[in-house]
Amino acid sequence: MIQKWFIDDIQRVLGEHRYIVVTDARGEGYYLLNYLPQEYMLIAVKDEWGEIEAKYLAESKYRNQKVVFYAKKKAEKLTFLQEYVQTAGLLALDDMEAYIRQKLFDATGKNTTIAREKLLLAGKLSEGKDLKWWISVAEGITEPLNMKESLLPFLYAPNDKRKEMDDTLWNVFRDEVYNIIGKTPTEQPADVLAHEVVNVMFQRIVDNTIEGLLLDVYYQWADSAEKVDVLRKCVESYTLNVDIDTLEVHPDHPFDFLDRKLMKQLSNAIKSGQDTTDIVKYIQKRSASRKAKVFKPQWLSSVLTLCTFEMKDMNDIDDYTKMAEFYRQNFSMLDTAMRKIYVAWLNDEPTLRPLQEHYTQLNKELLTKWYSLNGKYTPTQAGIVANALEGDKRTAVIVCDGLRLEIAECVAKGLTDKDMMISRNVALAVLPSVTENGMSALFGCEEPTTNTQARFANLKKVCPDVEILPLGMFGEGTTAKKLVLTYGDIDEVGEKKQMGGLKDIDNYETELREKTKTLFRLGYEKVVLTTDHGFVITGILDEADKEPRPNGQILRIEERFVLTDNPLPSTKLIENEGRYFDSNYQYYARTDKPFVTRGAYGYAHGGFTPQECIIPVYELTKKNDDFTFGIAISNKSELRNITGNYFTVKLKADRCDESLFTQKRKIKVMLFAGNKLADGNALHTMKPGDTFSQEYEWSDGIDKVVITDKETAAQIDSCEIRKSSSRDIDDLF
């Protein structure tokens, strides 16, 4: 608004004269010159020589233009421009405070009592503001300087922000900052002031007295991907009192030390049987808030799950089907939580042990129910892969080794696409729950085999066209209608690293999610996620926790099961009669703890627990909302019978509804040799009803052509390319 008032004054004089002199003895109105209309010629003068030059330019070079003279001195101090002051016009900005006050009074009929510095600042910051804003400022309702917008950039880069401010702005800003932190203003460098603000911010967080603007700025800072690294450094350099009561600190604090102290406090309370209600309430409050999430460890919500989990709704469970559903819907989330707690606290056994014991008590209730179920345990794992591949849909089955159901659930929860539909089916694994047994069952083998190729060959008996690849090997060149992808990383890392491998599982979850998305992008209509077996985490293990070796003749003893040729003498172990390789009987402990064996402990499978035996058969489908016209390879029979050294790929776009005739679709034509891209540079644009052909030279190894959408990378169509066995006509000449 001040800019408008200034321009109005200028135009009022220049409406009658060719010149106007603007004096600004203190230089406080200099910023207004930025708003002069371009048709006016501005000439600034510094001294008497400058006045002479300005007068000469005005009468010669700029004689046909309106001229504004600007001088940082009062009118009576002018010499050679005095003539224009007397004959043309004068706009005195020597006292900007008085100028603004008068303009406000003229516009509102009211005097304002706000301080001089704040009034001058309001003038500089009033660009784009209307009279209502000025009235609000004049009445003390609105602050001209928006500290909520200004404080964070200052804390992030104090010296840079100071350079952007003139002295007027800095003085007001500095006073406002001191007012916010409740201290008397003093002259000090910008970085020192910023450091002082941060210290006050942290102290008020610790005291739980932070509120208002300072709390808002903290939240902005903590949630800013661009600026949070500077806040991290400030947090790391801040010294906390070791005697702080963690439950009295603001729940959105940024201090890892306090989270770990809280965890130890909880652990000690559980160990000594003390009431943990207040601690759990604090964790709930800290976990529930979405503010400053970057400073809240992932394991915190896992601890909350462990502390608040209740074993309920188990009375009606009387068979393995109901138990499997209960485990998937309820207990699996507790297993996920405990796994994440192990990852975070494995190196701190004193803190971890009481939480593990609390989990063990809950797990004992589950196992007690599991081992008391009526009826015979009947595995439902056989033939899962072949069953999943049935039907006309283009289908991919991801067969994992050691994908515990709770991990599959984490994968599924991370697939947030609203068009993704998930059927969370489960099955019961064969016993013992080990790789060679479970994989053999998945691929439909009547007897377990350690031969991977034999398993694959068995599947191809019922699904001859299936393509079987490692998960990492499929890509844009994968065109199989029926696809099986194997993924052994989870079991492999568990076997090698034991408990240390748990930290890698989050990455495996991410990989499985991304591969699933890629499969849908490539045009698969259904993806099934399943596994051979789950596993148990033995955790901190004392010698007394291990199951003793049973009496009797034993063919083989593993961590989680015992194999014999004949029945053992009276035992509390679970007996399962049935041929398994060279054994006739299997025995399982009624616990998730291992038998006494040689080797490392921590990650184990093969036993008879829900964690090992209830496996996912998750079926994922995606609603197709692609209303773009289709494009197909129109000469597939020719491509499957190439007779020369050259071949042509012909495409035809569908004719469609008139509403789609204005659409265009960019496509990419790619040639592959196996899964290796041989030629993928051809880009084309097609409209409904268009045809297109492209000739290529034959080279050894090329076996397929794939058409994809340039924008989405989705597969549109594909075709095999095969060289004809008949003689090329070129050979006759």
Side-chain angles (χ1 to χ4, degrees):
M1 202 69 190
I2 186 68
Q3 296 86 358
K4 181 180 183 305
W5 294 330
F6 171 70
I7 298 300
D8 287 347
D9 286 342
I10 294 290
Q11 291 178 334
R12 188 178 302 110
V13 173
L14 292 181
E16 300 178 4
H17 304 281
R18 197 166 72 83
Y19 315 99
I20 184 173
V21 178
V22 178
T23 60
D24 184 12
R26 296 173 178 170
E28 294 172 342
Y30 185 77
Y31 66 93
L32 292 174
L33 300 179
N34 295 321
Y35 304 100
L36 279 175
Q38 291 185 353
E39 63 263 27
Y40 300 153
M41 177 52 59
L42 172 66
I43 304 177
V45 299
K46 295 181 179 179
D47 50 30
E48 289 187 358
W49 285 107
E51 290 185 48
I52 295 172
E53 182 182 17
K55 186 174 182 180
Y56 170 76
L57 289 172
E59 299 297 345
S60 58
K61 186 176 182 180
Y62 305 127
R63 64 180 179 274
N64 296 321
Q65 291 179 261
K66 304 277 188 177
V67 176
V68 177
F69 298 103
Y70 175 80
K72 288 187 178 180
K73 58 175 69 176
K74 291 187 176 183
E76 57 265 29
K77 300 289 185 180
L78 294 172
T79 305
F80 297 98
L81 292 182
Q82 193 63 234
E83 174 187 348
Y84 298 124
V85 172
Q86 301 300 326
T87 62
L90 171 69
L91 175 58
L93 302 180
D94 304 311
D95 187 346
M96 275 298 292
E97 177 188 4
Y99 181 77
I100 296 173
R101 289 187 190 280
Q102 183 61 49
K103 291 298 181 182
L104 277 174
F105 181 80
D106 293 343
T108 66
K110 297 179 181 180
N111 289 314
T112 180
T113 59
I114 63 173
R116 177 179 184 279
E117 292 287 341
K118 192 169 291 188
L119 189 66
L120 295 179
L121 180 63
K124 292 182 177 180
L125 300 177
S126 65
E127 182 179 2
K129 304 295 193 300
D130 57 15
L131 185 59
K132 289 182 179 179
W133 182 83
W134 268 108
I135 293 172
S136 182
V137 169
E139 293 177 353
I141 298 173
T142 297
E143 290 294 329
L145 180 62
N146 189 331
M147 292 301 291
K148 189 173 182 178
E149 295 178 358
S150 304
L151 187 53
L152 177 54
F154 172 72
L155 297 178
Y156 175 69
N159 292 327
D160 291 343
K161 294 307 294 183
R162 174 63 183 96
K163 290 176 183 177
E164 295 175 8
M165 302 181 190
D166 61 21
D167 289 342
T168 301
L169 179 54
W170 170 251
N171 289 335
V172 174
F173 176 80
R174 182 197 61 199
D175 290 349
E176 289 295 322
V177 168
Y178 275 113
N179 181 55
I180 290 168
I181 64 176
K183 295 190 176 183
T184 303
T186 59
E187 283 289 346
Q188 54 183 332
D191 56 343
V192 175
L193 176 57
H195 182 71
E196 191 169 352
V197 174
V198 171
N199 283 342
V200 170
M201 177 187 289
F202 288 162
Q203 188 57 52
R204 291 184 184 177
I205 289 173
V206 171
D207 296 339
N208 203 2
T209 57
I210 189 169
E211 59 184 359
L213 176 62
L214 206 56
L215 180 59
D216 289 341
V217 170
Y218 166 67
Y219 284 151
Q220 288 178 28
W221 202 354
D223 295 333
S224 168
E226 176 189 356
K227 298 179 174 65
V228 72
D229 284 345
V230 172
L231 178 57
R232 287 187 192 279
K233 292 178 182 178
C234 294
V235 171
E236 290 168 2
S237 62
Y238 186 75
T239 303
L240 286 166
N241 189 330
V242 294
D243 296 327
I244 292 174
D245 183 349
T246 53
L247 301 185
E248 296 299 324
V249 177
H250 194 284
D252 291 327
H253 71 77
F255 303 109
D256 177 70
F257 169 80
L258 295 180
D259 284 323
R260 301 191 75 81
K261 183 178 179 181
L262 180 69
M263 180 70 161
K264 293 175 184 293
Q265 188 177 343
L266 173 65
S267 177
N268 290 333
I270 294 174
K271 181 179 180 180
S272 59
Q274 297 175 4
D275 184 11
T276 61
T277 302
D278 290 342
I279 301 175
V280 172
K281 283 183 178 179
Y282 183 86
I283 296 175
Q284 280 178 319
K285 194 171 183 180
R286 181 156 169 73
S287 299
S289 172
R290 301 188 64 82
K291 300 291 188 180
K293 286 187 67 175
V294 70
F295 290 105
K296 295 172 183 178
Q298 292 185 353
W299 53 260
L300 197 66
S301 59
S302 297
V303 171
L304 180 62
T305 298
L306 175 63
C307 292
T308 57
F309 189 84
E310 296 180 0
M311 295 293 292
K312 55 185 180 180
D313 301 326
M314 290 186 65
N315 292 335
D316 294 334
I317 298 175
D318 54 9
D319 60 35
Y320 290 101
T321 301
K322 292 178 182 177
M323 173 58 83
E325 194 59 23
F326 170 83
Y327 178 77
R328 185 191 68 78
Q329 291 186 3
N330 297 279
F331 203 89
S332 65
M333 70 178 69
L334 180 61
D335 277 336
T336 299
M338 195 63 217
R339 170 168 58 85
K340 293 180 181 294
I341 292 171
Y342 278 127
V343 171
W345 291 90
L346 189 58
N347 295 326
D348 188 347
E349 182 178 326
T351 302
L352 177 60
R353 184 180 286 273
L355 279 86
Q356 176 181 289
E357 290 174 353
H358 181 67
Y359 165 80
T360 299
Q361 292 303 313
L362 295 169
N363 193 40
K364 278 183 178 179
E365 291 186 51
L366 177 76
L367 296 181
T368 299
K369 190 69 175 181
W370 172 258
Y371 295 127
S372 67
L373 292 174
N374 298 323
K376 182 177 174 60
Y377 176 81
T378 305
T380 56
Q381 191 175 26
I384 282 177
V385 176
N387 293 337
L389 293 172
E390 288 180 351
D392 293 331
K393 287 184 177 180
R394 191 179 179 200
T395 301
V397 182
I398 302 176
V399 180
C400 301
D401 190 351
L403 181 71
R404 197 159 76 154
L405 188 141
E406 56 93 359
I407 301 174
E409 189 63 20
C410 290
V411 173
K413 287 179 179 177
L415 292 167
T416 56
D417 189 329
K418 60 182 177 60
D419 294 328
M420 189 84 70
M421 293 165 285
I422 305 174
S423 296
R424 289 172 161 84
N425 306 311
V426 296
L428 299 177
V430 293
L431 294 176
S433 52
V434 291
T435 299
E436 59 269 20
N437 203 20
M439 286 295 180
S440 298
L442 287 172
F443 285 91
C445 301
E446 292 185 5
E447 298 292 334
T449 175
T450 58
N451 188 322
T452 301
Q453 294 307 314
R455 297 176 205 147
F456 294 168
N458 192 76
L459 176 64
K460 289 184 177 183
K461 290 178 184 177
V462 295
C463 190
D465 295 332
V466 68
E467 185 173 357
I468 304 174
L469 297 171
L471 184 67
M473 292 296 291
F474 87 94
E476 289 181 312
T478 302
T479 57
K481 184 172 183 180
K482 305 297 181 182
L483 178 66
V484 172
L485 300 169
T486 60
Y487 188 63
D489 290 22
I490 298 174
D491 191 62
E492 184 178 345
V493 76
E495 297 284 2
K496 289 181 178 179
K497 297 183 179 180
Q498 296 294 317
M499 294 286 289
L502 297 179
K503 68 179 183 298
D504 299 323
I505 290 179
D506 283 353
N507 293 331
Y508 298 145
E509 291 174 7
T510 300
E511 184 177 6
L512 286 169
R513 275 193 292 270
E514 292 306 312
K515 295 296 185 183
T516 298
K517 294 175 184 177
T518 300
L519 286 167
F520 283 116
R521 179 173 58 77
L522 293 178
Y524 284 89
E525 300 167 272
K526 181 174 76 172
V527 177
V528 176
L529 186 63
T530 191
T531 189
D532 52 352
H533 58 77
F535 60 86
V536 291
I537 304 171
T538 55
I540 302 169
L541 196 63
D542 296 326
E543 200 63 32
D545 296 327
K546 301 173 187 176
E547 283 293 311
R549 179 187 177 95
N551 296 321
Q553 285 191 322
I554 294 174
L555 291 176
R556 196 168 96 213
I557 183 169
E558 299 289 346
E559 271 190 83
R560 299 288 295 132
F561 62 95
V562 176
L563 300 179
T564 69
D565 196 17
N566 299 302
L568 291 177
S570 178
T571 177
K572 293 181 179 178
L573 301 178
I574 297 171
E575 181 183 270
N576 185 40
E577 183 178 359
R579 193 71 182 166
Y580 177 68
F581 289 104
D582 57 351
S583 67
N584 293 317
Y585 292 88
Q586 308 143 37
Y587 289 89
Y588 303 92
R590 299 174 185 271
T591 176
D592 62 343
K593 303 305 179 188
F595 286 101
V596 176
T597 55
R598 293 180 179 180
Y601 295 98
Y603 164 94
H605 58 86
F608 183 49
T609 63
Q611 289 87 345
E612 295 161 287
C613 296
I614 303 174
I615 59 171
V617 191
Y618 282 16
E619 181 178 305
L620 301 94
T621 55
K622 190 174 182 182
K623 184 170 63 175
N624 185 10
D625 287 336
D626 184 9
F627 298 110
T628 308
F629 59 89
I631 299 172
I633 301 170
S634 59
N635 63 329
K636 291 185 179 180
S637 59
E638 294 176 17
L639 293 172
R640 295 188 182 107
N641 194 35
I642 297 172
T643 57
N645 292 324
Y646 294 88
F647 62 93
T648 301
V649 176
K650 298 179 180 179
L651 305 179
K652 183 175 178 58
D654 293 342
R655 294 189 178 276
C656 54
D657 185 89
E658 290 185 4
S659 63
L660 295 179
F661 268 102
T662 57
Q663 285 194 7
K664 296 179 181 180
R665 192 168 190 182
K666 286 188 176 181
I667 60 165
K668 183 190 293 188
V669 180
M670 297 182 291
L671 302 181
F672 285 88
N675 283 317
K676 184 177 180 181
L677 181 65
D679 187 331
N681 297 321
L683 296 175
H684 309 283
T685 300
M686 297 187 72
K687 296 179 180 178
D690 280 358
T691 59
F692 168 82
S693 63
Q694 176 76 41
E695 187 177 66
Y696 295 92
E697 184 176 6
W698 168 264
S699 62
D700 288 341
I702 291 179
D703 60 0
K704 74 184 76 168
V705 56
V706 178
I707 314 301
T708 64
D709 188 285
K710 173 64 171 59
E711 302 303 324
T712 66
Q715 279 188 3
I716 300 172
D717 200 3
S718 65
C719 180
E720 278 185 282
I721 299 177
R722 289 199 299 259
K723 190 84 167 173
S724 173
S725 58
S726 61
R727 290 183 67 193
D728 191 330
I729 194 171
D730 292 341
D731 296 339
L732 300 177
F733 300 94

